[in-house]
Amino acid sequence: MEETGIEAELVRVVGVGDDPVGHYVQLRPTRLLPDSREHVREDGPVQCRWISVAADAEVWGLRGDFIHALIRKRVVGYVTRGRELLVFEHAGTTQLPAGRVDHDESLEEGLVREVKEETGVDAEVISLLANGVEFAQLFGPGYHESWAFHAVAIAETRDRWTHHVTGTGMDAGMAMPCRWVPLDERPLLWGKPDPLVERLLMSITDA
């Protein structure tokens, strides 16, 4: 509050420094804030702004040593109903439920939450299709380490519906046209053939 004028609440401790001794914590603001602002301290005005959370972010001194702890893993959900795959249309492409995992969630918990928020479907994780290393080898490196899972719908759903995204992400409130597509037709995902479809079909058979 003194240095930036921002009222914030504690999320968690991300690390402890030895020299100098100090606790490094993650906070979140209690209200939405502009991208940049001026704050007047006792020693004069300072310019405050937001930067992207990245492992190579440059900040002064030890303050950058624990930024890597803020970079969340990403999960991608291959949710099936028999031999059909759950997809939705967004930005002109057919996509799968996917998103970042919160610090207090397991990968599986994060996936179930993302599927529910983005499509309204209740799902249960069946198997891991690709860990972070395998995903990067198949799809190329991304900003977040991504893990792919096979999950199944655990309740009856319609063939097509529109779902308004819930949660706190940037897409909250958006209307997503959701549907089931036959896996045997090898649907294009994000505009490309998906290299995990064969693994998914094997997982369906095993399940």
Side-chain angles (χ1 to χ4, degrees):
M1 175 68 80
E2 291 178 355
E3 293 197 351
T4 66
I6 294 175
E7 182 178 340
E9 58 188 15
L10 177 69
V11 176
R12 57 171 171 152
V13 176
V14 296
V16 179
D18 296 324
D19 184 22
V21 175
H23 288 74
Y24 294 82
V25 299
Q26 178 183 355
L27 305 173
R28 59 173 163 248
T30 57
R31 59 185 178 87
L32 291 176
L33 296 165
D35 292 339
S36 61
R37 63 196 299 270
E38 182 179 85
H39 173 65
V40 180
R41 307 189 310 194
E42 291 184 357
D43 57 350
V46 294
Q47 295 294 324
C48 305
R49 60 188 175 93
W50 299 96
I51 65 172
S52 298
V53 176
D56 58 353
E58 295 184 2
V59 296
W60 178 77
L62 289 177
R63 287 167 172 78
D65 286 2
F66 298 102
I67 284 183
H68 68 274
L70 305 180
I71 301 175
R72 297 186 290 172
K73 292 180 179 179
R74 175 175 173 266
V75 287
V76 181
Y78 292 73
V79 184
T80 60
R81 183 184 69 172
R83 292 178 69 85
E84 295 176 314
L85 179 67
L86 174 62
V87 300
F88 59 83
E89 306 300 322
H90 178 60
T93 61
T94 300
Q95 301 183 15
L96 299 174
R100 292 170 293 179
V101 178
D102 291 335
H103 71 91
D104 55 353
E105 294 179 310
S106 67
L107 295 174
E108 292 82 359
E109 290 170 340
L111 177 71
V112 169
R113 174 184 54 77
E114 284 290 342
V115 171
K116 181 70 173 180
E117 289 179 355
E118 293 192 344
T119 68
V121 172
D122 292 309
E124 178 184 3
V125 175
I126 296 297
S127 65
L128 174 67
L129 295 177
N131 61 28
V133 174
E134 292 172 319
F135 196 96
Q137 291 172 343
L138 291 170
F139 296 93
Y143 184 76
H144 296 273
E145 182 181 82
S146 295
W147 295 59
F149 290 89
H150 173 207
V152 296
I154 57 177
E156 292 293 328
T157 64
R158 291 168 288 172
D159 293 335
R160 291 175 177 267
W161 68 98
T162 297
H163 175 72
H164 291 270
V165 178
T166 59
T168 59
M170 295 179 62
D171 54 357
M174 295 180 63
M176 297 295 190
C178 304
R179 61 191 173 100
W180 296 97
V181 297
L183 270 171
D184 292 331
E185 296 180 3
R186 304 300 193 271
L188 299 180
L189 301 174
W190 284 280
K192 300 177 181 179
D194 193 290
L196 284 176
V197 167
E198 297 304 324
R199 291 190 193 184
L200 178 60
L201 290 170
M202 291 178 61
S203 180
I204 292 173
T205 300
D206 292 342

